[in-house]
Amino acid sequence: MAKTPTGKNTSGRGQRDLKVKVKSARGRTTSSTRWLQRQLNDPYVKRATAEGYRGRAAYKIMELDDRFRFLVPGARVVDLGCAPGGWAQVAVKRINVLGEKPGKRVGRIIGVDLQEVESLAGAEFHQLDFMDEGADDQVKEWLGGQADVVMSDMAASSSGHKQTDHLKIMALCEAAAYFAFDVLEPGGTFIAKTLAGGAEGDLQKLLKQKFTKVMNIKPPSSRADSSEKFVVATGFRG
């Protein structure tokens, strides 16, 4: 039975994982130290590294799709704010872009972001501001038609002020929703990350006018201490 230098048992049932502690360093703020420590001890971060995903966010879209089944073989998907590409990684397999599911339709995914994104087999990434005039037409041209799914894991840069950050991300969500109205096929699905904070009502009202069903979900992989949640709107009315 393995023992530490102090003689304490390190194996057997009931053993707890050792947590990594991060010391503060010159130039590093207290909040960044806490963030780093949380990252190093996050089981989803460790799992993403072990399974080859580009980030823990991959598990959020997996859990949402496991419940609502919008990433089906043959689906045409637009991923807004796609960096670093974790959501696209999941979508490529589920919509069968590479034809790995014999007899199933082959899908397509277009990812856009303000920054350049490392290439990914099966995904087509473009450096583009989706709010630019004509961006919707450009995406439809790349996609070869209307989309079945528009998904967004975008978050505005943090200001450190909770209410300001909430308003910024809700403005992004609303812009993403209007983009979705322009590119979605009737019956399509829209998914976007939001932050709780009081300004969600306008977005909910807007989406309920355009979709048959609108739900707010906090997937298991979303951190419990985060105000993050996701809106899933299905059945686009066109």
Side-chain angles (χ1 to χ4, degrees), residues 15 19 26 64-65 132 169 178 182 199 204 217 220:
Q15 177 185 338
K19 289 194 173 183
R26 183 175 297 178
L64 291 171
D65 184 51
D132 283 348
I169 196 171
Y178 277 108
D182 288 335
Q204 296 290 312
I217 309 295

Side-chain angles (χ1 to χ4, degrees), residues 6 8 33 37 104 108 113 175-176 195 197 225 236:
T6 59
K8 292 182 180 179
T33 300
Q37 183 165 309
K104 300 288 187 179
R108 190 163 186 203
D113 201 284
L195 290 180
D225 61 352
F236 180 55

Side-chain angles (χ1 to χ4, degrees), residues 143-209:
L143 195 59
Q146 303 289 114
D148 299 299
V149 179
V150 172
M151 57 188 193
S152 164
D153 191 33
M154 292 185 294
S157 56
S158 175
S159 68
H161 184 267
K162 188 174 181 179
Q163 187 60 19
T164 298
D165 291 341
H166 168 67
L167 293 174
K168 286 168 68 176
I169 196 171
M170 293 312 299
L172 261 182
C173 287
E174 188 168 317
Y178 277 108
F179 178 90
F181 300 160
D182 288 335
V183 303
L184 275 179
E185 193 83 81
T189 299
F190 173 67
I191 305 99
K193 178 166 67 180
T194 68
L195 290 180
E200 304 95 326
D202 289 343
L203 179 64
Q204 296 290 312
K205 184 177 179 181
L206 176 66
L207 294 178
K208 286 178 179 179
Q209 293 172 356

